[in-house]
Amino acid sequence: MQNNQSESSLSPPMVHVVDDDEAVLDAVGMLLDSIGQLNTCYKDAQVFLNAYNEPDFDKHNGCIVLDMRMPVISGIECQHRLEELGCSMPIIFVTGHGDIPTAVEAMKQGAVEFIQKPYREQQLIDAIQKALQINLKTQKQTKKVQQTHSKLALLTKRETQILEAVVSGKANKVIAIELHLSQRTVEIHRAHVMDKMEVKSLAELVKIVVDASPAE
Amino acid sequence: MQNNQSESSLSPPMVHVVDDDEAVLDAVGMLLDSIGQLNTCYKDAQVFLNAYNEPDFDKHNGCIVLDMRMPVISGIECQHRLEELGCSMPIIFVTGHGDIPTAVEAMKQGAVEFIQKPYREQQLIDAIQKALQINLKTQKQTKKVQQTHSKLALLTKRETQILEAVVSGKANKVIAIELHLSQRTVEIHRAHVMDKMEVKSLAELVKIVVDASPAE
DNA sequence: ACAGCAATAAGCATTTATACGTAAATTTAG
DNA sequence: CTAAATTTACGTATAAATGCTTATTGCTGT
């Protein structure tokens, strides 16, 4: 297994715009073009989801602007499908005839904005900017966690055991007794752990391991 | 100064109801009484905030039902104040004449529900139940974080400085040079930090400090 | 003004903990 | 069977924790 992380944070983010009203779609597309923002437009949710499932589709770098009221697959439905597909891009909803329960539902599902038509262009641009900022932050965090997991995968069983004990704050002496080992053996495993995890201090080790743990 | 954290996770949760309409307030109070749910009613946000700032007020065990439209201090304003006061109780908004932007704003600020009047009683009960569940889940974490902050507040400037350096992984020797101190002085401050933070190992220290840091 | 206290700083000595280098034996998995 | 993993001994060096002591500063209450 290798490090297959591409440097997505370096490539420009894509804004995916989904709206069944072609006039709106074109307008938003041109608006984004005018500010030099990379974008792709989709005439309905199904077309977007199909594109999303293409192997070369970047599922994590950018954000999504979703119209609420669309035929066949609604914005909310699309949000749910994306959730299931593990999409990490923030969603901005745009709607003409929204009601409060729908807006609340969308926000509870994690939407970053819910904008009503008609809106000022700047309003949408601000929301997109904010969404992209959130996305950038998520990406960095996710990347770090994945890198830590790659390193953790390189540890042997014993090393993992020692790592857990060390991170939980036990002294080498204690670990040695608990695992029926000599102190020297613990020291060597510990040194290997520090090497493989690419850290120079216990503090760093604890931080990256805790960060990459279940609760987050 | 002592450990003044009570074992709130063991005591029954309190539902705080804030509504300027006395009829509504009484009705909700009785509804909650009828299902055996501990509750306190407040006739406006100021009364609630005053109670909140009483020293014996449990700031973390329960949830809050907030009316949106109230004189002097609105629901949203109250939410903001509570946020600033470090309140970790989930908020359920109830409103008669809400609009989408307000609802979206409330949800963005972390509200768990936004219910429109008139609502079915069961709807409110479900929301409260869900809020209390969320509260239970986050309580232990929040409690730990606040306890850490209490301990951090007991540190002197120097000790805080040393803490930061230690947590960032620097050796005493390095810290001594950077702060123009002798190693012995660093060792003493460090020992005081360990005492005051009530930890026995560097690993524990790093964990509680990182846990209680801005990014969370 | 003076005594008392907390914070800060530091020296000296001791013990414990951690980090490595060298060497070698055993076990395990491909 | 070979390579990687695991284990350990002996020894040295650096780092950290701790006890005891001293001293300066700045604030506080009488």
Side-chain angles (χ1 to χ4, degrees):
Chain A
M1 221 164 286
Q2 281 292 70
N3 186 4
N4 60 350
Q5 255 64 45
S6 53
E7 49 330 292
S8 47
S9 44
L10 297 176
S11 60
M14 174 68 73
V15 175
H16 304 277
V17 186
V18 189
D19 200 313
D20 63 310
D21 184 334
E22 247 182 272
V24 172
L25 200 59
D26 288 351
V28 173
M30 281 191 285
L31 171 63
L32 293 176
D33 284 341
S34 79
I35 60 165
Q37 174 58 58
L38 207 58
N39 65 88
T40 315
C41 295
Y42 309 83
K43 72 172 170 44
D44 64 50
Q46 192 56 63
V47 172
F48 173 59
L49 289 168
N50 289 344
Y52 186 88
N53 285 314
E54 287 294 310
D56 62 331
F57 187 95
D58 187 341
K59 299 173 162 62
H60 304 290
N61 187 30
C63 72
I64 303 165
V65 178
L66 263 187
D67 184 38
M68 257 301 176
R69 186 174 301 259
M70 290 186 291
V72 190
I73 299 177
S74 71
I76 287 279
E77 173 66 18
C78 185
Q79 181 187 29
H80 278 83
R81 302 249 188 120
L82 288 167
E83 177 72 33
E84 282 161 19
L85 293 167
C87 176
S88 66
M89 286 187 281
I91 296 173
I92 295 164
F93 278 106
V94 171
T95 185
H97 319 278
D99 52 17
I100 290 184
T102 309
V104 169
E105 185 55 34
M107 297 306 288
K108 285 205 287 190
Q109 282 302 118
V112 298
E113 262 297 0
F114 192 98
I115 301 172
Q116 285 181 98
K117 295 175 189 172
Y119 52 83
R120 284 168 295 109
E121 290 188 339
Q122 193 57 44
Q123 216 175 331
L124 181 62
I125 290 173
D126 287 348
I128 287 173
Q129 228 80 105
K130 197 183 127 198
L132 292 178
Q133 225 171 332
I134 290 170
N135 176 242
L136 199 63
K137 227 173 102 186
T138 307
Q139 273 189 80
K140 280 181 188 166
Q141 176 62 20
T142 305
K143 209 167 150 190
K144 274 185 201 166
V145 169
Q146 291 185 341
Q147 280 172 350
T148 299
H149 279 303
S150 306
K151 291 174 194 166
L152 283 172
L154 298 177
L155 300 182
T156 66
K157 280 176 205 166
R158 253 310 188 231
E159 284 162 357
T160 304
Q161 236 175 346
I162 304 285
L163 170 86
E164 281 165 9
V166 166
V167 169
S168 85
K170 289 172 183 162
N172 288 351
K173 189 176 136 188
V174 176
I175 302 172
I177 294 168
E178 286 184 359
L179 300 181
H180 310 291
L181 297 172
S182 77
Q183 246 177 275
R184 187 66 186 101
T185 303
V186 175
E187 284 165 18
I188 289 179
H189 285 309
R190 182 171 179 156
H192 286 161
V193 167
M194 298 294 280
D195 271 358
K196 289 185 179 177
M197 298 306 291
E198 294 172 56
V199 290
K200 287 184 207 73
S201 68
L202 175 57
E204 286 177 72
L205 181 69
V206 172
K207 279 187 273 188
I208 68 165
V209 171
V210 168
D211 248 41
S213 290
E216 196 163 13
Chain B
M1 221 161 288
Q2 280 292 71
N3 184 4
N4 62 350
Q5 253 63 44
S6 52
E7 47 333 291
S8 48
S9 44
L10 297 175
S11 60
M14 175 67 73
V15 175
H16 303 277
V17 187
V18 189
D19 199 313
D20 63 312
D21 183 336
E22 247 183 273
V24 172
L25 199 59
D26 289 350
V28 174
M30 282 191 284
L31 170 64
L32 293 176
D33 284 340
S34 79
I35 59 166
Q37 173 58 57
L38 206 60
N39 64 87
T40 314
C41 295
Y42 308 84
K43 72 173 171 42
D44 64 50
Q46 191 56 63
V47 172
F48 173 59
L49 288 169
N50 288 344
Y52 186 90
N53 285 313
E54 287 295 310
D56 62 332
F57 187 93
D58 187 339
K59 299 173 163 60
H60 305 290
N61 188 29
C63 71
I64 303 165
V65 177
L66 263 188
D67 184 38
M68 255 303 176
R69 186 174 302 258
M70 289 185 292
V72 189
I73 299 177
S74 72
I76 286 279
E77 173 66 18
C78 186
Q79 181 187 30
H80 277 84
R81 302 252 188 118
L82 288 168
E83 176 72 33
E84 281 161 19
L85 293 168
C87 176
S88 67
M89 286 187 280
I91 296 174
I92 295 163
F93 277 107
V94 171
T95 185
H97 319 278
D99 52 18
I100 290 184
T102 309
V104 168
E105 186 54 34
M107 297 305 289
K108 285 205 288 190
Q109 282 301 118
V112 298
E113 261 299 357
F114 192 99
I115 301 173
Q116 285 180 98
K117 294 176 188 170
Y119 51 83
R120 284 167 295 111
E121 290 188 338
Q122 193 56 46
Q123 215 176 330
L124 180 62
I125 291 173
D126 287 347
I128 287 173
Q129 228 80 105
K130 198 183 126 196
L132 291 179
Q133 225 172 330
I134 289 170
N135 176 242
L136 200 62
K137 239 172 94 180
T138 54
Q139 247 190 99
K140 277 193 178 178
Q141 176 60 21
T142 306
K143 207 168 148 192
K144 278 183 199 166
V145 169
Q146 307 241 338
Q147 279 174 349
T148 300
H149 280 302
S150 307
K151 292 173 194 166
L152 283 172
L154 299 177
L155 300 182
T156 65
K157 278 178 206 167
R158 257 304 192 230
E159 284 163 356
T160 304
Q161 237 176 343
I162 303 285
L163 170 85
E164 280 165 10
V166 166
V167 168
S168 85
K170 288 172 184 164
N172 288 351
K173 190 176 134 189
V174 176
I175 301 171
I177 295 168
E178 287 184 358
L179 300 181
H180 309 291
L181 297 172
S182 77
Q183 253 179 268
R184 186 70 186 96
T185 304
V186 175
E187 284 163 17
I188 289 178
H189 285 309
R190 183 171 179 157
H192 287 161
V193 168
M194 298 295 280
D195 271 358
K196 290 186 180 178
M197 299 305 291
E198 293 172 54
V199 290
K200 287 184 208 73
S201 67
L202 175 58
E204 285 178 73
L205 180 70
V206 171
K207 278 188 276 187
I208 68 165
V209 171
V210 168
D211 250 38
S213 290
E216 194 163 14

